[in-house]
Amino acid sequence: MRAQTPIRRKLLMVVLLTSGAALLLAMLAFIGNEWFAYRSATQQRLNILGEVIATNSTAALAFDDPQGAAQTLDALRADPDVRGAALYDARGALFAVYPERKAGDVAGRVPDRAPEGALATSDEALQFSNGKLSGFLPVAENGRRMGTLYIEYDMRALRGRMLLFGLIALGVMCAAGLLAYVLARKLQRQITNPVIALTEVAKSVADRRDYSVRAPPHEGLELGKLTGAFNLMLTQIEEQLRRLHLLQQITRGIGERHDLPSIFQLVLRTLEDHMKVDFTLVCLLDAQSEALTVETVGGRSREAAASLGLTEGTRVPIDGNGLSRCIRGELVYESDVRALDFPFPSRLASGGLRSLVIAPLAVESRVFGVLICANRIENAFESVDCEFLQQLSAHVALASHQAQLHGTLQRAYEDLRQTQHTILQQERLRALGQMASGIAHDINNALSPVSLYTQFLLEKENSLSVRARECLVTIQQAIDDVASTVGRMREFYRPREAQLALAKVDLNRLVHQVLELTRARWRDVPQASGSMVELHTDLAQDLPQFMGADAEIRDALTNLIFNAVDAMPAGGRLTLRTAVRTAEKGGAARRVVVEVADTGVGMDEETRRRCLEPFFTTKGERGTGLGLAMVYGMVQRHSAELDVRSELGRGTTVELGFQAPESAIDPTVGVRALRVPAKRMRILLVDDDPLLTECLRVMLEEDGHQVEAADGGQHGIEAFRAAKSAGKPFGVVVTDLGMPYVDGRKVAAAVKEISADTPVILLTGWGQRMQEEEEKPEHVSIVLSKPPKMHELRAALADVSAPEPARERA
Amino acid sequence: LRGIAALACAMALVPGVGPALAADPAPTEYQLKAVFLFNFAQFVEWPADAFASADTPLSICVLGKDPFGSNLDEVVRGETAAGRRLVVERHASLSDVAACHILFVPASQSRDVDGLAVRSRDSRTLLVTDGPQQGAMIGFVKERNRIRLRVNLAAVNQAQLSISSKLLRIAEIVGPRPEKR
């Protein structure tokens, strides 16, 4: 049977072959038996017949009556299968023959004489040979041998009979085969149908991956078991697939979430929806690994959790059993918590819960929490459930870990962005400041001759008319204002670069001054337009003094008050408050704070963020955008703090916080040394601006000094060296800082090299900055800013010409 | 074996018949008739009172002139029938005849047959005649070169002899139908 033959045909063929073989064997046995029985019966019958003929032939032989003998033999006619018979007399001669010989017969079937051997034997039996039964029988009467009978029987009848039997057997076999076929075909279904059904189910499972199909149940013993086992296997596969799908679903779900509560909530809800659990809980281990804290309770477990006292935030001490094993990283399964004598299982048992699974949440083999599932039925969790929960807890742990990392990363990124924003702001201010600084330098240089000649005229020209002198004074004031404005504009961004020396500041006094100075703005102007600004001051008593620049702080407060009034076009309440605050974290311990608050329009977030930027304004053409930027510059220079709080429509509060000194301030600091009038000196002037050198030379010579001017650094150094070698050295060198090729620093270095004692005064458009930062270049004694003021120059000359101690004090 | 030997001897005694059986000439009339007489002893049964004692021999008698010559003696010599010896007796006249079991009456003595018929019936003697005779129990009838037997069954029965049915089948039955015994 081939491998592709269907089981039905195989079974059918097995049945048919088996029954056919059995039947064939039976038939052969039957025919064989029939053959031998028939032969034996025929032999016996013929022997008897022979005996009868022989007995009846004795008289015919005895009385020589062949006719009578022939008549006796003729009785054999009754059996058509007797082919021939003959009677021989005592001497063996043929006596009578059957059938009677006719005229044409050349040779009969019977022998003409009885063989010698046949005469000798008395009990001869008939024998089979050549398809016939033949033999010689003795003929005797009362023991006397009368003759011999020969008889021949044709066995064709036997063959015919056997043929008939064969045909009958064939017919029976055919009928039996047909019957067997019909029966087997009908009965084999009991075996093949379930097998075929199983095959169909297996095929549909394999083809469509549909594990929900089931083979129809079967009652047979083995096939029933097979079908049952197959169906069970399908159920298990389906269950496993379901869990796999669930795991995938949960994993995907928690992969999209970045916060722990949301992850845990999702996991617990999915567990409650898809697993047989009555109570779910996630606990996190505290840092010291001493106790668990309930982090999340499953949505349907809230009631039970409340009754068990396991609401979110509850601390659960770690038990001897169960929990502690889980903390070590094992999955714990208890089929019945009533059997356990530990606090936590007992607590669950008191709530009607029976079976319990605790799965550890571990990252890099460090357990940070546990997932708890419980059921009201004992033995509710199978090993596949435990396996599933273990896998799930591994995924949850990983996701939690990632969520934590994500949070950390997010915070770091936020910090970085804030820092970057601050740096960007500072950088922008610095760039603007540098640009302003360059412009200021050029303006200062350009103003220098104007300033110097104006001072010169006012000092030396006594013949000026009153009108002219007034004009000159105005010019001088305007120049000072320009220089001051330019200076501030240039400096507003610089940290701690006060134009003036720091002095003790009384903040309350400054507030009063500013209020007086700005009265027109906050009271008179609004009143004129029909609105009312209500002033409210809240000044702390015993405010500590601190070091600062009065003028800058005054300017800043003025700016803030202007802004506040501008923010209240329809009137409102203006509040100025001073206080001492103790800072919460970092920074100075105590701060002196002044606050300017309004109840105006406020700022949106964008405006609040950009309000300190230079040139950013909300006032259109009326504003310069520099007000708050100036304030910010002042704050930076004082190492103070600026806080802008604003709410759209509710108002803005700007707070300035200054560091309060730790101890009382030394009153002598910042007081200028006593000036000593300068003696007459030989002065070398070095500058690349002939207008300025000429102007300075005239003025210094007017003071009685001997002045020589050099155009540029190189000429200056050469002139100094020449004078030194000529024995007429200069007492002091006044040089410009910014010169092409050889600048002021190089000049100073060269001068010190030639004559170490000769002081160098540096004039510079950058001078103010150098003074404040104590960025005094090497070899330079004093730095003066442009445009030069004659009284400052004179003071400097006096200083450098004074004895050593006096210079040190400068 | 004895039978075969006797037959062989009988054949050898037939005149003109040499010891070599291959020649096998047809036997003479009286040779055949001698064998027939002997064979009657085989196919006929006598009542017990026909014999004086258990070892009384069965006697075959020939009346008058003996036509057999030595043939009959040759045939009978040494033979038995039903355990009895066979003897051949020759009687010259009717008066001599006594206690014969088989009595052959040649044609020459046929006038004695009527007298013998009654005597034979009483003396349990099988009366055999040469040629058909009234009163004979068995007569030899020559028919187309063959010797046939004619049996008067009533006479046989009256003598209380019983003839084998085998013999009767080949014989011609004459006389009245035998009454049932």
Side-chain angles (χ1 to χ4, degrees), chain A residues 55-69 71-72 89-91 93 95 113 119-120 140-146, chain B residues 1 3-4 6-7 11 17 21 24-25 27 32 35-36 38-40 42-43 79-80 144 146-149 164 166-167 169-171:
Chain A
T55 307
N56 283 322
S57 300
T58 49
L61 276 171
F63 301 104
D64 190 25
D65 184 5
Q67 212 174 341
Q71 277 174 7
T72 308
D89 62 18
R91 287 176 298 173
F95 185 71
R113 288 191 67 86
L119 296 173
E141 183 66 34
N142 290 339
R144 269 182 61 90
R145 180 72 181 250
M146 296 291 185
Chain B
L1 277 173
I4 293 171
L7 193 65
M11 294 300 149
V17 174
L21 291 170
D24 200 15
L32 268 178
V35 174
F36 279 16
F38 167 71
N39 281 343
F40 287 145
Q42 307 295 334
F43 289 93
E79 292 291 339
T80 57
R144 286 176 297 173
R146 294 201 72 88
I147 295 161
R148 299 295 307 273
L149 302 176
S164 165
K166 299 176 195 171
L167 194 154
R169 199 183 309 140
I170 61 165

Side-chain angles (χ1 to χ4, degrees), chain B residues 2-181:
Chain B
R2 205 187 321 141
I4 293 171
L7 193 65
C9 292
M11 294 300 149
L13 291 174
V14 173
V17 174
L21 291 170
D24 200 15
T28 61
E29 183 183 340
Y30 281 95
Q31 276 181 327
L32 268 178
K33 284 178 179 170
V35 174
F36 279 16
L37 283 179
F38 167 71
N39 281 343
F40 287 145
Q42 307 295 334
F43 289 93
V44 176
E45 207 174 311
W46 281 265
D49 59 359
F51 296 97
S53 66
D55 54 353
T56 307
L58 190 144
S59 59
I60 301 172
C61 305
V62 178
L63 184 67
K65 189 181 173 221
D66 185 359
F68 296 104
S70 64
N71 280 337
L72 189 59
D73 295 307
E74 295 293 334
V75 169
V76 167
R77 185 181 299 147
E79 292 291 339
T80 57
R84 296 178 189 276
R85 283 190 300 112
L86 293 175
V87 292
V88 177
E89 293 173 10
R90 291 178 178 85
H91 301 284
S93 64
L94 192 62
S95 56
D96 296 339
V97 175
C100 286
H101 294 101
I102 298 171
L103 176 64
F104 178 69
V105 183
S108 55
Q109 301 290 320
S110 56
R111 61 181 181 278
D112 296 335
V113 172
D114 290 338
L116 282 170
V118 180
R119 284 182 56 188
S120 299
R121 189 169 59 210
D122 296 335
S123 62
R124 317 287 189 246
T125 302
L126 181 70
L127 183 67
V128 180
T129 61
D130 198 2
Q133 291 285 327
Q134 194 71 39
M137 292 180 192
I138 296 175
F140 289 132
V141 181
K142 209 165 172 198
E143 232 175 59
R144 286 176 297 173
N145 287 332
R146 294 201 72 88
I147 295 161
R148 299 295 307 273
L149 302 176
R150 180 175 290 174
V151 176
N152 186 336
L153 208 51
V156 172
N157 286 345
Q158 281 169 359
Q160 295 189 11
L161 302 177
S162 66
I163 295 179
S164 165
S165 61
K166 299 176 195 171
L167 194 154
L168 291 177
R169 199 183 309 140
I170 61 165
E172 182 188 353
I173 311 295
V174 294
R177 302 286 295 177
E179 57 205 54
K180 285 213 173 143
R181 283 191 291 182

Side-chain angles (χ1 to χ4, degrees), chain A residues 294-601:
Chain A
V294 178
E295 170 71 18
T296 310
V297 177
R300 281 177 223 154
S301 310
R302 293 199 173 281
E303 246 175 75
S307 69
L308 288 173
L310 286 171
T311 48
E312 279 153 17
T314 313
R315 273 171 68 85
V316 180
I318 294 168
D319 283 350
N321 196 13
L323 290 175
S324 68
R325 270 200 287 148
C326 191
I327 298 304
R328 290 198 298 272
E330 286 177 46
L331 181 110
V332 175
Y333 170 58
E334 298 295 350
S335 55
D336 190 354
V337 288
R338 284 178 299 182
L340 299 174
D341 192 21
F342 289 97
F344 185 68
S346 303
R347 200 182 211 180
L348 293 180
S350 72
L353 297 168
R354 292 296 174 259
S355 35
L356 168 72
V357 174
I358 311 177
L361 301 174
V363 172
E364 288 158 0
S365 60
R366 190 182 61 82
V367 176
F368 67 88
V370 295
L371 170 67
I372 297 171
C373 293
N375 198 303
R376 294 186 200 285
I377 308 163
E378 294 130 52
N379 298 310
F381 298 100
E382 295 167 27
S383 63
V384 286
D385 294 318
C386 293
E387 245 168 69
F388 172 72
L389 285 173
Q390 188 148 36
Q391 286 178 350
L392 177 66
S393 65
H395 282 285
V396 171
L398 206 60
S400 313
H401 187 57
Q402 278 173 352
Q404 283 169 340
L405 290 181
H406 182 79
T408 311
L409 193 69
Q410 203 67 36
R411 279 194 295 280
Y413 175 71
E414 202 56 48
D415 287 353
L416 199 64
R417 211 165 61 88
Q418 198 64 45
T419 310
Q420 188 192 23
H421 183 74
T422 309
I423 286 172
L424 206 65
Q425 198 167 23
Q426 284 180 354
E427 208 43 52
R428 192 178 293 159
L429 289 174
R430 186 185 301 280
L432 280 167
Q434 278 174 352
M435 188 187 74
S437 184
I439 294 168
H441 176 258
D442 289 352
I443 291 174
N444 283 339
N445 271 350
L447 279 177
S448 290
V450 181
S451 174
L452 284 172
Y453 280 120
T454 307
Q455 289 173 51
F456 178 76
L457 285 175
L458 284 172
E459 279 184 25
K460 304 297 179 183
E461 287 298 324
N462 297 324
S463 59
L464 287 174
S465 67
V466 176
R467 176 86 181 133
R469 188 165 291 276
E470 280 174 1
C471 289
L472 283 174
V473 169
T474 308
I475 290 169
Q476 181 65 51
Q477 204 139 27
I479 289 167
D480 285 350
D481 284 354
V482 168
S484 166
T485 302
V486 166
R488 275 214 305 284
M489 183 185 82
R490 186 188 61 182
E491 303 294 341
F492 68 79
Y493 73 96
R494 296 192 60 85
R496 277 198 69 87
E497 193 173 1
Q499 193 171 359
L500 300 171
L502 298 178
K504 284 187 284 184
V505 174
D506 181 346
L507 204 53
N508 284 346
R509 192 171 59 85
L510 274 180
V511 168
H512 283 301
Q513 282 178 356
V514 170
L515 285 175
E516 283 305 312
L517 282 168
T518 58
R519 183 180 299 273
R521 191 67 191 276
W522 57 260
R523 194 175 66 187
D524 302 347
V525 174
Q527 268 179 355
S529 64
S531 59
M532 178 70 188
V533 171
E534 183 193 336
L535 178 71
H536 182 81
T537 53
D538 177 10
L539 305 180
Q541 298 299 312
D542 302 328
L543 207 60
Q545 291 188 334
F546 60 91
M547 296 305 289
D550 274 5
E552 288 206 1
I553 297 171
R554 201 160 36 235
D555 276 359
L557 286 176
T558 305
N559 255 310
L560 292 176
I561 288 170
F562 284 179
N563 281 344
V565 172
D566 284 343
M568 299 183 288
R573 182 186 170 102
L574 174 67
T575 307
L576 276 95
R577 186 180 290 122
T578 57
V580 179
R581 294 216 180 122
T582 307
E584 310 85 47
K585 282 180 196 168
R590 287 199 308 162
R591 305 191 81 83
V592 179
V593 170
V594 58
E595 213 177 81
V596 180
D598 64 64
T599 56
V601 294

